[in-house]
Amino acid sequence: MTETTEAVSVKTHRATPSRRGPSPTGDSPRVPGSRGRTLRRATPWLFLAAPLALLITFTYVPVGNMIYYSFTDWDGISPDRNFTGLDNYVQIFTRPELFRVFFVSVYYLAASAVQIVIALYFATVLSFDLRFRNLFKGLLFFPYLINGVAIGFVFLYFFQDGGTLDTVLSWFGQNPGHAWLGDPGSANTSLAGVSVWRYTGLNFVLFLGAIQSIPGELYEAAQLDGATRWQQFRHIIAPSIRPVLSLSVILAISGSLAVFEIPWIMTGGATGTSTFVIQTVKLAFQFNKTGLASAAAVVLLLIILLITWIQRRLVPDEKVDLV
Amino acid sequence: MGKTRTLTGAFLTIATLTVTGCSGSGAPSAETASAPADASTASGTITVLTQRTDLIKSGAMKAYAAEFNKVYPKIEVKFEGLTDYEGEVKIRMNTDKYGDVLMIPGAVAKNDYPKFFAPLGSSIEMSDKYRFSDKSEVNGKTYGIAQFGTANGFVYNKALWKRAGVTAWPRTPEEFIADLRAIKSKTGSTPYYTNFKDGWPLVQWSANIGSVTCSEEANNKLAGPVSPWKSGSELAVIDSLLFDIVKDGLSEKDPSTTNWEASKSKLAKGEIGSMMVGSWAISQMRDAAEKAGKNPDDIGYMPVPVQREEGQCATLVSDYQQAVNIHSDHKEAARAWIDWFTDKSGYSAKEGAVPTLKSAPMPDTLKEFVDNDVTFVERSESKTGAVNDIDKAAEIGLNTPDYRQKLVDIARGAQKGTAESYFAELNKKWDEAAKTIGS
């Protein structure tokens, strides 16, 4: 897609001088506007100056700093820091326990799969005419609007011994008496469940938007041909929302690797619920190993970039052609 | 090509900014922050950073400042309360502006004190007058004065223990466990509450290093590859006690959702038998008892259940230490505030804490300890810097909840292992870290 745009713009550029008239040298019309031309060239940059300044100050400088810290033994507070070269990176890759926390991400990966399926299901159902459609849309999107800290606290009470979940289960005669956040397996499952509850709304809205951009005639035509709802989904909806779907998958994977808020608030990483980011935060702020933590952050960044790149390779971004 | 050039430009900008960001400020003068000679003429506006947002809100801090102004009329004191004290101050300390008086955050390495704080005097002089002064001693100078100190042990509900038929303090860990069993079987209350979820109450166990062997040097002895969890050592006794409590099911059923605020009234009501917290918590517990309509005198405090020839021991450890910012423009005024607040304000008495001033009496909250001849062990902190370095390098965290949370998890079977295997692992980590740091 980008290639086409570039080609078009090149063409217009070339076309400009010819439109200016029959000047053999092409110099004369430029004379009065030479200053104006530089100004015109600078215009986009002037517009860009503010956002670029913000971007550089708040994104690239901190990232640059972080990369710099990752080569030092800085403790995060001392005015002195020593350059230690690749030492931090060597440590990260030679200490298996630092990588073990990625297993926790598997729970969240599985949860993201569930989340995408649920979101896709509801987006499809609610894109057809249905009673109380907007109400359901609102209900599904609502959790995403709540602050993550609040969600953490709400679910802390939900999972507590004798809390909401146990109460609801007891209505059905079930009394498991289980400490939901008490052992690593059920704690991680519970936390991943909370994350599904929270983020389904976002996926749902993305899918719904994509589905609603499909022209209605397609469904009519399909219905005339006797296609079932499943067939409509399979052959119309799924292919046309593919870009959004693949975007969601990328977000889900990078999100699963970088889970932080929910486990941090609910368990603080205790009972085997520590994720890579929690571990990094602990390295930086509990053990004052800012250098090592920066290196860990850089490694996480690289891993996510790598996964995104592989995924873009495997599932290239095709142009969707509906008609 | 245009793209490459822009990118290079951007990276150059970043590089320059990064480099300039690192060239630190020049070394500030290290003159001693001494109290002003003449109280009536000393002047300046000082900012005091504090973690006690509650006291600022209730106006108690302002009242202290008003009292202070009676002595020093020309010094204006402003307070800044920080909810996440450690986190915020740590970041602010990368600049020059971190108040005039502040509590030394735990994150600052002891050897860095001279870079951040003005010295308050020679440590020999200071130690004559104040407790805990060696905690902030670097090269013969003291950099901080403790707000107050705490004694350490278990807070417990006397009425509940009596109902279970226990009247005397347990003298050994085995007796303690037996008493907790009695509480569980006879009253049905939770004998011990870990406060696992909040984490920091688990850290309180570390404050008892020294209570077991009655040694002032207990903490200093950890500086080196000494396998701190070998059998019979301070940490092994303390942590085994916690482990056994949890393993025998004498703690709360679901530790992952505990709640500190709620635990206070639960203890007051006798739903919880005991908790390990510093003596600072006694007055809070008594408040909670009053609010719950119970008798505040039911709240008792007992030392770690280890009997030695000297009797039972309880460590005294320092709370936050107040220091003067080395970049402060009003060091005299700042010092005047610290001295007045520590010596004359009555703050520690009001908090029911151990006074920093050696000449001041022990608070009412520790009356039982005094009456029962509990030996107060004022723990030396002269090697804390080295101990902390090892602790951080080993990533164990004596002062963070993580390793004890794992211990509790193992004890209740949520994670694999035994006390022995975990202690062996900790010993190994500690010794290796000590060796790498020592080399």
Side-chain angles (χ1 to χ4, degrees), chain A residues 45 56 60-61 64-65 68 74-81 95 156-157 159-161 177 179 181-184 265-266 270-272 282-289 292, chain B residues 6 10 13-14 17-18 22 89-90 93-94 105-109 112 115-116 196-197 253-254 256-257 259 391-397 400-402 405 409 412 414-415:
Chain A
W45 290 104
I56 289 174
Y60 292 106
V61 173
N65 267 329
Y68 164 75
W74 194 38
D75 68 356
I77 195 166
S78 161
D80 312 315
R81 57 195 77 145
R95 286 174 49 190
L156 211 50
Y157 286 105
F159 287 119
Q160 164 176 335
D161 185 28
L181 301 175
D183 70 89
I265 294 159
M266 290 183 60
T271 327
K282 285 196 168 157
L283 280 179
F285 299 107
Q286 277 190 356
F287 302 113
N288 292 349
K289 295 186 175 177
L292 183 62
Chain B
T6 333
T13 328
I14 293 165
L17 282 171
T18 322
C22 304
V89 171
K90 184 181 160 185
M93 286 180 73
N94 283 304
V108 184
D112 283 340
K115 292 172 193 154
F116 292 110
F196 180 93
K197 157 76 176 67
K253 188 174 135 218
D254 181 6
S256 49
T257 51
N259 182 330
D391 182 43
K392 288 196 165 132
E395 288 169 22
I396 290 173
T400 67
D402 298 62
Q405 283 185 330
D409 274 349
R412 64 199 180 87
Q415 291 198 48

Coordinates of all heavy atoms in Angstrom, one line a residue, chain A residues 45 56 60-61 64-65 68 74-81 95 156-157 159-161 177 179 181-184 265-266 270-272 282-289 292, chain B residues 6 10 13-14 17-18 22 89-90 93-94 105-109 112 115-116 196-197 253-254 256-257 259 391-397 400-402 405 409 412 414-415:
Chain A
W45 N 8.0 20.5 8.2 CA 8.9 20.3 9.4 C 8.5 21.2 10.5 O 8.6 20.9 11.7 CB 10.3 20.6 9.0 CG 10.8 19.5 8.1 CD1 11.0 19.5 6.8 CD2 11.1 18.1 8.5 NE1 11.5 18.3 6.3 CE2 11.5 17.4 7.4 CE3 11.1 17.5 9.7 CZ2 11.9 16.1 7.4 CZ3 11.5 16.1 9.7 CH2 11.9 15.5 8.6
I56 N 10.7 13.0 20.8 CA 12.1 12.8 21.2 C 12.3 12.9 22.7 O 12.9 12.1 23.3 CB 13.0 13.8 20.4 CG1 13.0 13.4 18.9 CG2 14.4 13.8 21.0 CD1 13.7 14.3 18.0
Y60 N 12.3 8.9 22.8 CA 13.6 8.4 22.4 C 14.7 8.8 23.4 O 15.6 7.9 23.6 CB 13.9 9.0 21.0 CG 13.0 8.4 20.0 CD1 12.0 9.1 19.4 CD2 13.2 7.0 19.6 CE1 11.1 8.5 18.5 CE2 12.3 6.4 18.7 CZ 11.3 7.1 18.2 OH 10.4 6.5 17.3
V61 N 14.6 9.9 24.0 CA 15.7 10.2 25.0 C 15.6 9.2 26.2 O 16.6 8.6 26.6 CB 15.6 11.7 25.5 CG1 16.5 11.9 26.7 CG2 15.9 12.6 24.4
G64 N 16.9 6.0 24.9 CA 18.4 6.1 24.8 C 19.1 6.0 26.2 O 20.0 5.3 26.3
N65 N 18.5 6.7 27.1 CA 19.0 6.6 28.5 C 19.0 5.2 29.0 O 20.0 4.8 29.6 CB 18.2 7.5 29.4 CG 18.8 8.9 29.5 OD1 20.0 9.1 29.4 ND2 17.9 9.9 29.7
Y68 N 21.6 3.2 27.6 CA 22.9 3.6 28.2 C 23.0 3.0 29.6 O 24.1 2.4 29.9 CB 23.0 5.1 28.3 CG 24.1 5.6 29.2 CD1 25.4 5.5 28.8 CD2 23.7 6.1 30.4 CE1 26.4 6.0 29.7 CE2 24.7 6.6 31.3 CZ 26.0 6.5 30.9 OH 27.0 6.9 31.8
W74 N 24.7 1.0 37.4 CA 24.0 2.1 38.2 C 23.0 1.5 39.1 O 22.3 0.5 38.8 CB 23.3 3.1 37.2 CG 22.9 4.3 37.9 CD1 23.6 5.0 38.9 CD2 21.7 5.1 37.7 NE1 22.9 6.1 39.2 CE2 21.8 6.2 38.5 CE3 20.6 4.9 36.8 CZ2 20.7 7.1 38.5 CZ3 19.6 5.8 36.8 CH2 19.7 6.9 37.7
D75 N 22.9 2.1 40.4 CA 21.9 1.5 41.3 C 20.7 2.4 41.3 O 19.8 2.2 42.2 CB 22.5 1.4 42.7 CG 22.8 2.8 43.3 OD1 22.7 3.8 42.6 OD2 23.3 2.9 44.5
G76 N 20.6 3.4 40.4 CA 19.3 4.1 40.3 C 19.3 5.4 41.2 O 18.4 6.2 41.1
I77 N 20.4 5.6 41.9 CA 20.3 6.8 42.8 C 21.7 7.4 43.0 O 21.8 8.6 43.1 CB 19.7 6.3 44.2 CG1 19.3 7.6 45.0 CG2 20.6 5.5 45.0 CD1 18.4 7.2 46.1
S78 N 22.7 6.6 43.1 CA 24.0 7.1 43.3 C 24.5 8.0 42.1 O 24.2 7.7 41.0 CB 25.0 5.9 43.4 OG 26.3 6.4 43.2
P79 N 25.2 9.0 42.4 CA 25.7 9.9 41.3 C 26.8 9.2 40.5 O 27.1 9.7 39.4 CB 26.2 11.1 42.0 CG 26.4 10.8 43.4 CD 25.5 9.6 43.7
D80 N 27.4 8.1 41.0 CA 28.4 7.5 40.2 C 27.9 6.2 39.6 O 27.0 5.6 40.1 CB 29.6 7.0 41.2 CG 30.0 8.0 42.1 OD1 30.2 9.2 41.6 OD2 30.2 7.7 43.3
R81 N 28.4 6.0 38.4 CA 28.0 4.7 37.7 C 29.2 4.3 36.9 O 29.9 5.1 36.4 CB 26.8 4.9 36.9 CG 26.9 5.9 35.8 CD 25.5 6.3 35.3 NE 24.8 7.1 36.2 CZ 24.0 8.1 35.8 NH1 23.7 8.3 34.6 NH2 23.4 8.9 36.7
R95 N 21.6 -16.6 33.5 CA 20.8 -16.9 34.7 C 19.4 -17.4 34.4 O 18.5 -16.6 34.1 CB 20.8 -15.7 35.7 CG 22.1 -15.5 36.4 CD 22.1 -14.2 37.1 NE 20.9 -14.1 38.0 CZ 20.6 -13.0 38.7 NH1 21.3 -11.9 38.5 NH2 19.5 -13.0 39.5
L156 N -9.7 -8.6 43.8 CA -9.1 -9.1 45.1 C -10.2 -9.5 46.0 O -10.1 -10.6 46.6 CB -8.2 -8.0 45.7 CG -7.0 -8.4 46.5 CD1 -6.2 -9.3 45.7 CD2 -6.2 -7.2 46.9
Y157 N -11.2 -8.7 46.1 CA -12.4 -9.1 46.9 C -13.2 -10.2 46.3 O -13.7 -11.1 47.0 CB -13.3 -7.9 47.1 CG -12.7 -6.9 48.1 CD1 -12.2 -5.7 47.6 CD2 -12.7 -7.2 49.4 CE1 -11.6 -4.8 48.5 CE2 -12.1 -6.3 50.3 CZ -11.6 -5.1 49.8 OH -11.0 -4.2 50.7
F159 N -12.0 -12.7 44.6 CA -11.3 -14.1 44.8 C -11.0 -14.4 46.2 O -10.6 -15.5 46.5 CB -10.0 -14.1 44.0 CG -10.1 -14.2 42.5 CD1 -9.7 -13.2 41.7 CD2 -10.8 -15.3 42.0 CE1 -9.8 -13.3 40.3 CE2 -10.9 -15.4 40.6 CZ -10.5 -14.4 39.8
Q160 N -11.3 -13.5 47.1 CA -10.9 -13.7 48.5 C -11.7 -14.8 49.1 O -12.8 -15.2 48.6 CB -11.3 -12.3 49.2 CG -11.4 -12.3 50.6 CD -11.6 -10.8 51.0 OE1 -11.3 -9.9 50.3 NE2 -12.3 -10.6 52.1
D161 N -11.2 -15.4 50.2 CA -11.8 -16.5 50.8 C -13.2 -16.0 51.3 O -13.3 -15.1 52.1 CB -11.0 -16.9 52.0 CG -11.5 -18.2 52.7 OD1 -12.2 -19.0 52.0 OD2 -11.3 -18.3 53.9
G177 N -14.1 -24.0 48.8 CA -13.2 -23.5 49.9 C -11.8 -23.4 49.4 O -10.8 -23.7 50.1
A179 N -8.5 -21.5 47.9 CA -7.9 -20.2 47.9 C -7.5 -19.9 46.5 O -6.5 -20.5 46.0 CB -6.7 -20.2 48.8
L181 N -6.2 -17.4 44.8 CA -4.9 -16.9 44.6 C -3.8 -17.6 45.4 O -2.7 -17.1 45.5 CB -4.9 -15.4 44.9 CG -5.9 -14.6 44.1 CD1 -5.9 -13.1 44.6 CD2 -5.6 -14.6 42.6
G182 N -4.1 -18.7 45.9 CA -3.3 -19.4 46.9 C -2.2 -20.3 46.3 O -1.2 -20.5 46.9
D183 N -2.4 -20.9 45.1 CA -1.3 -21.7 44.5 C -1.1 -21.2 43.1 O -2.0 -20.7 42.5 CB -1.6 -23.2 44.6 CG -2.7 -23.6 43.7 OD1 -2.5 -24.0 42.6 OD2 -3.9 -23.6 44.1
P184 N 0.1 -21.5 42.6 CA 0.5 -20.8 41.4 C -0.4 -21.1 40.2 O -0.7 -20.2 39.5 CB 1.9 -21.5 41.1 CG 2.4 -21.9 42.4 CD 1.2 -22.2 43.2
I265 N -0.8 -5.6 41.3 CA -1.7 -5.0 42.3 C -2.3 -6.2 43.1 O -2.5 -6.1 44.3 CB -2.9 -4.2 41.6 CG1 -2.3 -3.0 41.0 CG2 -3.9 -3.8 42.6 CD1 -3.1 -2.4 39.9
M266 N -2.7 -7.3 42.4 CA -3.4 -8.3 43.1 C -2.5 -9.2 44.0 O -2.9 -9.6 45.1 CB -4.2 -9.1 42.2 CG -5.4 -8.3 41.6 SD -6.5 -9.2 40.5 CE -7.0 -10.5 41.5
A270 N 3.7 -12.5 44.1 CA 3.9 -13.6 45.1 C 3.3 -14.9 44.5 O 2.5 -14.9 43.5 CB 3.3 -13.3 46.4
T271 N 3.7 -16.0 45.1 CA 3.1 -17.3 44.7 C 3.2 -17.6 43.2 O 2.3 -18.0 42.6 CB 1.6 -17.4 45.1 OG1 1.4 -16.7 46.3 CG2 1.2 -18.8 45.4
G272 N 4.4 -17.4 42.7 CA 4.7 -17.8 41.3 C 3.9 -17.0 40.3 O 3.6 -17.5 39.2
K282 N 11.2 -5.3 40.2 CA 11.8 -5.6 41.5 C 13.3 -5.5 41.4 O 13.9 -5.1 42.4 CB 11.4 -7.1 41.8 CG 10.0 -7.1 42.3 CD 9.6 -8.4 43.0 CE 8.3 -8.2 43.7 NZ 7.6 -9.4 44.0
L283 N 13.9 -5.9 40.3 CA 15.4 -5.7 40.2 C 15.7 -4.3 40.3 O 16.7 -3.9 41.0 CB 15.8 -6.3 38.8 CG 16.0 -7.7 38.6 CD1 16.5 -8.1 37.2 CD2 17.1 -8.3 39.6
A284 N 15.0 -3.4 39.7 CA 15.3 -2.0 39.6 C 15.1 -1.4 41.0 O 15.9 -0.6 41.5 CB 14.6 -1.3 38.6
F285 N 13.9 -1.6 41.6 CA 13.5 -0.8 42.8 C 13.7 -1.6 44.1 O 13.6 -0.9 45.1 CB 12.1 -0.3 42.6 CG 12.0 0.6 41.3 CD1 11.4 0.1 40.2 CD2 12.6 1.8 41.4 CE1 11.3 0.9 39.1 CE2 12.5 2.6 40.2 CZ 11.9 2.2 39.1
Q286 N 13.8 -2.9 44.1 CA 14.0 -3.5 45.4 C 15.5 -3.9 45.6 O 16.0 -3.7 46.7 CB 13.2 -4.8 45.4 CG 11.8 -4.6 45.8 CD 11.1 -5.9 46.1 OE1 11.6 -7.0 45.9 NE2 9.9 -5.8 46.5
F287 N 16.1 -4.3 44.5 CA 17.5 -4.7 44.6 C 18.5 -3.6 44.0 O 19.7 -3.8 43.9 CB 17.7 -6.0 44.0 CG 16.9 -7.1 44.6 CD1 15.9 -7.7 43.9 CD2 17.0 -7.4 45.9 CE1 15.0 -8.6 44.4 CE2 16.2 -8.4 46.5 CZ 15.2 -9.0 45.8
N288 N 17.9 -2.5 43.7 CA 18.7 -1.3 43.1 C 19.6 -1.7 42.0 O 20.7 -1.2 42.0 CB 19.5 -0.7 44.3 CG 18.6 0.0 45.3 OD1 17.4 0.1 45.0 ND2 19.1 0.4 46.4
K289 N 19.2 -2.7 41.2 CA 20.1 -3.0 40.1 C 19.5 -2.4 38.8 O 19.0 -3.1 37.9 CB 20.1 -4.5 39.9 CG 20.8 -5.2 41.1 CD 21.1 -6.6 40.8 CE 21.9 -7.3 42.0 NZ 22.0 -8.7 41.8
L292 N 21.0 -3.7 35.5 CA 20.5 -5.0 35.1 C 19.1 -4.9 34.6 O 18.7 -5.5 33.6 CB 20.7 -6.0 36.2 CG 20.3 -7.4 36.0 CD1 21.2 -8.0 34.9 CD2 20.4 -8.2 37.2
Chain B
T6 N 17.7 11.7 8.7 CA 16.8 12.1 9.8 C 17.1 11.2 11.0 O 17.2 11.7 12.1 CB 15.3 12.0 9.4 OG1 15.2 12.1 8.0 CG2 14.5 13.1 10.1
A10 N 18.4 12.2 14.6 CA 17.6 11.9 15.9 C 18.5 11.2 16.9 O 18.6 11.6 18.0 CB 16.4 11.0 15.5
T13 N 21.0 13.5 18.4 CA 20.3 14.4 19.4 C 20.2 13.6 20.7 O 20.5 14.1 21.8 CB 18.9 14.7 19.0 OG1 18.9 14.9 17.6 CG2 18.5 16.0 19.7
I14 N 19.8 12.3 20.6 CA 19.6 11.5 21.8 C 20.9 11.3 22.5 O 21.0 11.5 23.7 CB 19.0 10.1 21.4 CG1 17.6 10.2 20.8 CG2 19.1 9.1 22.5 CD1 17.2 9.0 20.1
L17 N 21.9 14.4 24.3 CA 21.1 14.6 25.5 C 21.5 13.7 26.6 O 21.5 14.0 27.7 CB 19.6 14.5 25.1 CG 19.0 15.7 24.4 CD1 17.6 15.4 23.9 CD2 19.0 16.9 25.3
T18 N 21.7 12.4 26.1 CA 22.1 11.4 27.1 C 23.3 11.8 27.8 O 23.4 11.7 29.1 CB 22.3 10.0 26.4 OG1 21.3 9.9 25.4 CG2 22.2 8.9 27.4
C22 N 24.1 13.1 31.9 CA 24.9 12.3 32.8 C 25.9 13.1 33.6 O 26.3 12.8 34.7 CB 25.6 11.2 32.2 SG 24.5 10.1 31.3
V89 N 11.0 9.9 46.7 CA 12.3 10.6 47.1 C 13.4 10.0 46.3 O 14.3 10.8 45.9 CB 12.5 10.4 48.6 CG1 13.9 10.9 49.0 CG2 11.4 11.1 49.4
K90 N 13.4 8.7 46.0 CA 14.5 8.1 45.3 C 14.7 8.8 43.9 O 15.8 9.1 43.5 CB 14.2 6.7 45.1 CG 15.3 5.9 44.4 CD 15.0 4.5 44.2 CE 15.9 3.9 43.1 NZ 15.5 2.6 42.7
M93 N 16.0 12.4 44.2 CA 17.4 12.5 44.7 C 18.3 12.5 43.5 O 19.5 12.7 43.6 CB 17.7 11.4 45.7 CG 17.1 11.7 47.0 SD 17.5 10.5 48.2 CE 19.2 10.9 48.6
N94 N 17.8 12.4 42.3 CA 18.7 12.5 41.1 C 18.8 14.0 40.8 O 19.6 14.4 39.9 CB 18.0 11.8 39.9 CG 18.3 10.4 39.9 OD1 19.4 9.9 40.0 ND2 17.2 9.6 39.9
P105 N 16.1 7.5 52.5 CA 15.4 6.4 51.9 C 16.3 5.1 52.0 O 17.5 5.2 51.9 CB 15.1 6.8 50.5 CG 15.5 8.2 50.4 CD 16.4 8.5 51.5
G106 N 15.6 4.0 52.1 CA 16.4 2.7 52.2 C 17.2 2.4 51.0 O 18.2 1.7 51.0
A107 N 16.8 3.1 49.8 CA 17.5 2.7 48.6 C 18.9 3.3 48.5 O 19.7 2.8 47.7 CB 16.7 3.2 47.4
V108 N 19.2 4.3 49.3 CA 20.5 5.0 49.2 C 21.5 4.1 49.9 O 21.4 3.7 51.0 CB 20.5 6.3 49.9 CG1 21.8 7.0 49.7 CG2 19.4 7.2 49.3
A109 N 22.6 3.7 49.1 CA 23.6 2.9 49.7 C 24.3 3.7 50.8 O 24.6 4.9 50.6 CB 24.6 2.5 48.6
D112 N 27.1 6.1 50.1 CA 26.8 7.3 49.3 C 26.2 8.4 50.1 O 26.0 9.5 49.6 CB 25.7 6.9 48.2 CG 26.4 6.2 47.0 OD1 27.6 6.3 46.9 OD2 25.6 5.6 46.3
K115 N 27.5 11.9 49.8 CA 27.2 12.6 48.5 C 25.8 13.3 48.5 O 25.6 14.2 47.7 CB 27.2 11.6 47.4 CG 28.6 11.1 47.1 CD 28.5 9.9 46.1 CE 29.8 9.2 46.0 NZ 29.6 7.8 45.6
F116 N 25.0 12.9 49.5 CA 23.6 13.4 49.5 C 23.3 14.2 50.7 O 22.4 15.1 50.6 CB 22.6 12.3 49.4 CG 22.6 11.5 48.1 CD1 23.1 10.2 48.0 CD2 22.1 12.1 46.9 CE1 23.1 9.5 46.8 CE2 22.1 11.5 45.7 CZ 22.6 10.2 45.7
F196 N 0.3 -11.7 54.6 CA 1.1 -12.1 53.4 C 0.9 -11.2 52.2 O 1.8 -10.8 51.5 CB 0.6 -13.5 53.0 CG 1.3 -14.1 51.8 CD1 2.4 -14.9 51.9 CD2 0.7 -14.0 50.5 CE1 2.9 -15.6 50.8 CE2 1.3 -14.6 49.4 CZ 2.4 -15.4 49.6
K197 N -0.4 -10.8 51.9 CA -0.6 -10.0 50.7 C 0.1 -8.6 50.8 O 0.6 -8.2 49.8 CB -2.2 -9.8 50.6 CG -2.6 -8.6 49.8 CD -2.5 -8.9 48.3 CE -3.0 -7.7 47.5 NZ -2.3 -6.5 47.6
K253 N -6.3 -18.9 56.6 CA -6.5 -19.9 55.6 C -6.1 -19.5 54.2 O -5.4 -20.2 53.5 CB -8.0 -20.3 55.6 CG -8.4 -21.5 54.7 CD -9.9 -21.8 54.9 CE -10.5 -22.0 53.6 NZ -11.9 -21.5 53.5
D254 N -6.4 -18.3 53.9 CA -6.1 -17.8 52.5 C -5.2 -16.6 52.6 O -5.6 -15.4 52.7 CB -7.3 -17.4 51.8 CG -7.0 -16.9 50.4 OD1 -5.8 -17.0 50.0 OD2 -7.9 -16.5 49.7
S256 N -3.3 -15.2 50.5 CA -3.1 -14.3 49.4 C -4.1 -13.1 49.3 O -3.9 -12.2 48.5 CB -3.3 -15.1 48.1 OG -4.5 -15.9 48.2
T257 N -5.1 -13.1 50.2 CA -6.0 -11.9 50.2 C -6.1 -11.3 51.6 O -7.1 -10.8 52.0 CB -7.4 -12.3 49.7 OG1 -7.8 -13.5 50.5 CG2 -7.4 -12.7 48.3
N259 N -5.4 -8.4 54.6 CA -5.7 -7.0 54.6 C -5.2 -6.4 55.9 O -5.7 -6.7 56.9 CB -7.2 -6.8 54.3 CG -7.5 -5.3 54.2 OD1 -6.9 -4.5 54.8 ND2 -8.6 -5.1 53.5
D391 N 23.1 -8.6 50.4 CA 21.7 -8.9 50.3 C 21.2 -8.6 48.9 O 20.4 -9.3 48.2 CB 20.9 -8.1 51.3 CG 19.5 -8.5 51.4 OD1 19.1 -9.7 51.2 OD2 18.6 -7.5 51.5
K392 N 21.5 -7.4 48.4 CA 21.0 -6.9 47.1 C 21.7 -7.7 46.0 O 21.0 -8.1 45.0 CB 21.3 -5.5 46.9 CG 20.3 -4.7 47.8 CD 20.1 -3.3 47.6 CE 18.9 -2.8 48.3 NZ 19.1 -1.6 49.1
A393 N 23.0 -8.0 46.1 CA 23.7 -8.7 45.1 C 23.1 -10.1 45.0 O 22.9 -10.7 43.9 CB 25.2 -8.8 45.4
A394 N 22.7 -10.7 46.1 CA 22.2 -12.1 46.2 C 20.7 -12.1 45.7 O 20.1 -13.1 45.5 CB 22.3 -12.7 47.5
E395 N 20.1 -10.9 45.6 CA 18.7 -10.7 45.3 C 17.8 -11.5 46.3 O 16.8 -12.1 45.8 CB 18.4 -11.1 43.8 CG 18.9 -10.0 42.9 CD 18.9 -10.5 41.4 OE1 18.1 -11.4 41.1 OE2 19.7 -9.9 40.7
I396 N 18.2 -11.6 47.5 CA 17.3 -12.3 48.5 C 16.3 -11.3 49.1 O 15.1 -11.5 49.0 CB 18.2 -12.9 49.6 CG1 19.0 -14.1 49.1 CG2 17.3 -13.3 50.8 CD1 20.0 -14.6 50.0
G397 N 16.8 -10.2 49.6 CA 15.9 -9.2 50.1 C 15.5 -9.4 51.5 O 14.3 -9.7 51.8
T400 N 12.8 -7.0 52.0 CA 11.6 -7.1 51.1 C 10.9 -8.3 51.3 O 11.4 -9.3 51.9 CB 12.1 -7.1 49.6 OG1 12.8 -8.3 49.4 CG2 13.1 -6.0 49.3
P401 N 9.6 -8.3 51.0 CA 8.8 -9.5 51.4 C 9.0 -10.8 50.6 O 8.6 -11.8 51.1 CB 7.3 -9.0 51.2 CG 7.4 -7.9 50.3 CD 8.8 -7.3 50.4
D402 N 9.6 -10.7 49.5 CA 9.6 -11.8 48.5 C 10.1 -13.1 49.0 O 9.4 -14.1 48.8 CB 10.4 -11.4 47.3 CG 9.8 -10.2 46.6 OD1 9.8 -9.2 47.2 OD2 9.4 -10.4 45.4
Q405 N 7.6 -14.5 51.5 CA 6.4 -15.0 50.8 C 6.6 -16.4 50.2 O 5.8 -17.2 50.3 CB 6.0 -14.0 49.7 CG 5.4 -12.7 50.3 CD 4.8 -11.8 49.2 OE1 5.4 -11.8 48.1 NE2 3.8 -11.1 49.6
D409 N 4.8 -19.8 51.1 CA 4.2 -20.6 50.1 C 4.7 -22.1 50.2 O 3.9 -23.0 50.0 CB 4.6 -20.1 48.7 CG 3.7 -19.0 48.2 OD1 2.6 -18.8 48.8 OD2 4.0 -18.3 47.2
R412 N 3.0 -23.9 53.1 CA 1.6 -24.3 53.0 C 1.4 -25.2 51.7 O 0.3 -25.4 51.3 CB 0.7 -23.1 53.0 CG 0.9 -22.2 51.8 CD 0.2 -20.8 52.1 NE 0.4 -19.9 51.0 CZ -0.4 -19.8 50.0 NH1 -1.4 -20.6 49.9 NH2 -0.1 -19.0 49.0
A414 N 2.1 -24.6 48.5 CA 1.8 -24.0 47.2 C 3.0 -24.0 46.3 O 2.9 -23.8 45.1 CB 1.3 -22.6 47.4
Q415 N 4.2 -24.1 46.9 CA 5.4 -24.3 46.0 C 6.2 -25.4 46.6 O 6.1 -25.8 47.7 CB 6.2 -23.0 46.0 CG 5.5 -21.8 45.3 CD 6.5 -20.7 44.9 OE1 7.5 -20.9 44.4 NE2 6.0 -19.5 45.2

